């Protein structure tokens, strides 16, 4: 059964096709209104993520399908100790497609092995969250009208930020992009990602300064610098403001910069930036919903 | 190859010097009732020094485990005091229940009876990743 656990489960041509379908949904939503009629999507969330769950449910409803769902917080059978394998086998009998979020890394791999219907990973701990990446790259393609020849700045926690790693892996499939990794020294890109960049032979560099990188950027992908990642309060206080995007830091930016953020935001982007036409992080969530619609249809064999 | 002392059994040769106890532990040779000999720091033309393990019984050996410990080990099967066959090893593509995932956030830490599976991702550097959470396996 075809499932999507990681962005690597989708070929480049499939990702391109999903983006084309998402664009068509944008132009012509009526055409898709009944595509999933009589189909049921189950969302099983072993940890709360209201936004992700609602995005999938809204996607399915916009396709004319139905949704069954567990309460966000605790799955009752999980509390009784039922294995993921058993849960997924049972729910495969109730739904045509399953969306799962689980705090344990690799849980969707186990689930996908046992499910008899397609399964989408909606996030497993710090591991993968492929539909976030699909949202990110559609946002880039729509705002920049291309996925190549761009200078992409990734800013914040590049060590633990899974969305960053996954976005890099996806963008490496498109030629001639240049990457600037903007982070405190403590939160630099992990070794295996550095190797992937070197192996791909792309141009990339690292800097601690968002300000010096800013004028070059076509895309700025912001992530949060979390307090728990630092060994001491001093470093955190010293660094946190450096990675907060405000109007002042945007002064030297290109007029057609696209600012992305996987959300939720805490304070890493000043609210004053929201009204700047370069801010695309709320639009990003619409792109996410449309990519989820396209992915659901792909896995159900409708497109 | 010196197979003295083994009539019907297995001689593990070309073990890197100092690794024989690792082989002993991984293959759980301590559980055997038969004669098991560990010979350390033998002279070897090929390797300088090497270890040898002799097992005086034709037991089933998990060649994947052995290949994981050291793909250069050779396995000699002895029958009636004569060399029956010689096997060369390779790093296995997949390890099942040989090493455990140490990532506390990995699904293997909670899901019942889930085998610990690792996939070889870099043969040269001998790097394995957990098939579930992708964390790199600890070295032996
Ligand atoms: Zn693992």
């Amino acid at each position: 059964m075809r499932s999507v656990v990681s962005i690597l489960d989708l070929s480049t041509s499939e990702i391109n096709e999903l983006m084309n379908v998402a664009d068509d949904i944008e132009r012509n939503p009526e055409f898709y209104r009944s595509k999933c009629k009589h189909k049921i999507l189950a969302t099983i969330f072993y940890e709360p993520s209201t936004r992700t769950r609602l995005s999938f449910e809204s996607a399915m409803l916009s396709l004319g399908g139905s949704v069954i769902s567990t309460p966000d917080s605790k799955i009752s059978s999980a509390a009784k100790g039922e294995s993921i394998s058993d849960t997924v086998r049972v729910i495969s009998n109730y739904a045509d497609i399953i969306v799962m979020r689980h705090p344990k890394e690799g849980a969707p791999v186990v689930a996908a092995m046992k499910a008899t219907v397609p399964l989408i990973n909606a996030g497993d701990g710090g591991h993968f969250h492929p539909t976030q990446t699909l949202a990110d790259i559609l946002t880039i393609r729509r705002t920049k009208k291309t996925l190549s020849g761009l200078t992409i700045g990734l800013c914040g926690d590049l060590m633990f930020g899974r969305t960053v790693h996954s976005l890099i892996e996806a963008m490496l499939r498109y030629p001639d992009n240049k990457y600037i990794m903007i982070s405190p020294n403590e939160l630099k890109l992990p070794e295996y990602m550095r190797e992937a960049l070197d192996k791909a032979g792309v141009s990339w560099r690292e800097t601690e300064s968002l300000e010096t990188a800013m004028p070059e950027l076509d895309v700025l992908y912001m992530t949060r610098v979390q307090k728990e990642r630092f060994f001491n309060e001093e470093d955190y206080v010293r660094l946190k403001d450096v990675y907060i995007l405000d109007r002042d830091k945007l002064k030297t930016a290109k007029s057609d910069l696209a600012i992305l953020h996987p959300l939720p935001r805490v304070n890493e982007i000043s609210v004053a930036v929201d009204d700047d036409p370069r801010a695309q992080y709320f639009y990003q969530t619409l792109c996410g919903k449309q990519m989820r619609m396209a992915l659901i249809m792909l896995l159900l064999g409708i497109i | 190859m010196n197979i003295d002392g083994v009539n019907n059994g297995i001689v593990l040769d070309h073990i890197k010097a100092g690794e024989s106890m690792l082989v002993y532990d991984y293959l759980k040779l301590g559980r055997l009732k038969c004669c098991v000999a560990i010979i350390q720091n033998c002279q070897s033309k090929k390797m300088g020094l090497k270890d040898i393990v002799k097992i005086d019984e034709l037991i089933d050996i998990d060649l994947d485990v052995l290949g994981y410990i050291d793909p250069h080990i050779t396995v000699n099967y002895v029958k009636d005091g004569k060399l029956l066959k010689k096997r060369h090893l390779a790093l296995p593509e997949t390890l099942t229940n040989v090493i455990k995932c140490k990532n506390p956030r990995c699904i293997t830490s909670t899901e019942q009876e889930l085998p610990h599976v690792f996939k070889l991702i870099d043969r040269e550097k001998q790097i394995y990743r957990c098939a579930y959470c992708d964390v790199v396996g600890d070295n032996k």
Side-chain angles (χ1 to χ4, degrees), chain B residues 63-65 67-68 90-95 118-120 123 128:
Chain B
L63 296 178
D64 280 354
V65 173
Y68 167 69
L91 270 186
E93 287 292 332
T94 307
L95 294 174
F118 279 77
K119 302 262 182 214
L120 182 64
R123 188 169 286 279
Y128 284 88

Side-chain angles (χ1 to χ4, degrees), chain A residues 99-114:
Chain A
V99 175
M100 177 192 258
R101 188 183 184 96
H102 199 288
K104 289 284 179 181
E105 296 167 10
V109 178
V110 177
M113 288 189 307
K114 299 293 166 155

Side-chain angles (χ1 to χ4, degrees), chain A residues 81-86 102-107 109-110 113 124 126-128 192 195, chain B residues 103-112 114 122 125 127 129-135:
Chain A
E82 185 175 70
S83 66
I84 291 168
S85 307
D86 287 4
H102 199 288
K104 289 284 179 181
E105 296 167 10
V109 178
V110 177
M113 288 189 307
D124 57 333
H127 193 213
F128 294 134
Y192 75 95
E195 276 173 19
Chain B
N103 174 7
R105 299 175 308 278
C106 179
I107 186 61
T108 50
S109 67
T110 51
E111 181 83 351
Q112 319 150 16
L114 187 63
D122 190 329
K125 294 185 191 155
I127 296 174
R129 274 186 199 279
C130 173
Y132 309 102
C133 73
D134 291 299
V135 163

